[in-house]
Amino acid sequence: ENIISRSKIEQRIRQAQKSDPGLKTANAVISSLKELGLDDPMIKDILEYTEIGIKHELHVHRTGGIKGLYAAAARIVSIKYDFPIPISIIANSFNVSEQCIHAQYFNLFEVLDIDISPPTGADYLPYILAELDTDLGMFTRQDLREFISDYSGKTSHSPVSIACASIYIICTEENSMDITQDELAGIGGISTLTIRNTRDALTENT
C-alpha cells in the first residue's frame, strides 16, 4: 500500500514551520521511521495520525510542536502493531523529550478513532518518577501503584494529571516529602491548577 500523499503532508508542514522552524521535512521523517524498523503500512498510519493532530492544532503551543506529534504517532503505532520501540529511541530519533511524547500521546489519542487501549495514570508513573530528584523507596512506590489502581473509573481527568496528583497526595501530603506542584506540573506538562483539581477529584472519591 502506498504512503499517503507526501505533498499533502509537506503542505501542512510548511504551514506550521513558522512556529516550528527546526522541523524535519516529510522525507527526512520517513527516513527516520524506516531506520526504526517500521514498514510502509506503519509509516502510513504515523503520517495520517500526525495530519489528524495538525488538523486539531495539537502542535500549536504544545511541547515539541509537529516533531512531538510525529513521535507520539510513532509511539501509538508501535503499540497498535505490537512492535515495541523504547520511548527513548523514538525521542532520540525526533529530537524531543520523553515527557513530550507522553503528553502528546494522550492528546493525539483523544482525537484518533483506533482500537487500542488508552494510556492510564499508571503508564505515566515511571517517567514522572524518573524525572523527580527524590528517592521514594519501595513502599512509597507500592502505595502509589495501589492508589492509582483504586481510583480507576472514578474520575475523567487525564492520565498524566492523575499520575501527578497521585504522586502529590501520596508523597507530599501523606509522607511529607519535598515535592512541589510546580515541579510535577513541569514534568507532566500540565498546570498546577490541573493538579489541584485532579487531587480534589481523587480525594473526594477515595
Side-chain angles (χ1 to χ4, degrees):
E1 188 175 1
N2 292 328
I3 294 174
I4 58 174
S5 169
R6 294 184 188 181
S7 62
K8 187 175 182 182
I9 293 291
E10 288 173 335
Q11 181 181 7
R12 288 196 169 274
I13 287 173
R14 283 194 296 272
Q15 291 171 355
Q17 267 183 324
K18 293 178 182 178
S19 60
D20 195 355
L23 183 68
K24 299 176 181 179
T25 65
N27 284 338
V29 167
I30 291 169
S31 295
S32 295
L33 293 172
K34 289 190 180 239
E35 286 175 7
L36 292 176
L38 301 172
D39 59 20
D40 281 358
M42 295 179 188
I43 293 173
K44 173 180 178 292
D45 281 352
I46 290 170
L47 294 178
E48 287 180 341
Y49 295 168
T50 301
E51 185 183 7
I52 290 170
I54 293 172
K55 285 179 179 176
H56 285 81
E57 299 188 340
L58 298 184
H59 62 293
V60 179
H61 308 304
R62 301 289 183 100
T63 304
I66 297 183
K67 289 186 292 184
L69 277 180
Y70 274 120
R75 174 66 174 161
I76 289 173
V77 166
S78 74
I79 294 171
K80 175 181 175 182
Y81 286 89
D82 195 21
F83 186 82
I85 303 173
I87 290 181
S88 58
I89 292 179
I90 297 176
N92 241 11
S93 181
F94 290 96
N95 194 27
V96 296
S97 68
E98 293 181 31
Q99 170 192 335
C100 159
I101 295 176
H102 282 287
Q104 284 288 39
Y105 176 96
F106 179 73
N107 296 330
L108 187 56
F109 192 93
E110 281 193 316
V111 300
L112 296 175
D113 182 21
I114 51 178
D115 187 23
I116 63 174
S117 299
T120 67
D123 294 329
Y124 285 85
L125 271 181
Y127 98 87
I128 295 174
L129 294 178
E131 294 289 329
L132 288 173
D133 187 21
T134 304
D135 183 9
L136 299 186
M138 180 179 65
F139 292 108
T140 303
R141 288 174 182 271
Q142 181 61 29
D143 286 345
L144 272 170
R145 286 191 292 268
E146 291 176 358
F147 183 85
I148 284 190
S149 176
D150 288 344
Y151 83 81
S152 182
K154 296 179 180 177
T155 176
S156 60
H157 291 268
S158 72
V160 67
S161 66
I162 289 168
C164 289
S166 297
I167 292 170
Y168 188 77
I169 292 168
I170 297 298
C171 297
T172 303
E173 296 184 348
E174 295 189 6
N175 290 287
S176 301
M177 294 181 180
D178 187 22
I179 299 175
T180 67
Q181 291 183 12
D182 283 334
E183 186 177 8
L184 289 167
I187 294 171
I190 57 178
S191 69
T192 55
L193 177 61
T194 297
I195 292 177
R196 288 193 294 274
N197 288 341
T198 308
R199 176 200 61 189
D200 292 344
L202 292 177
T203 52
E204 285 173 4
N205 288 288
T206 53

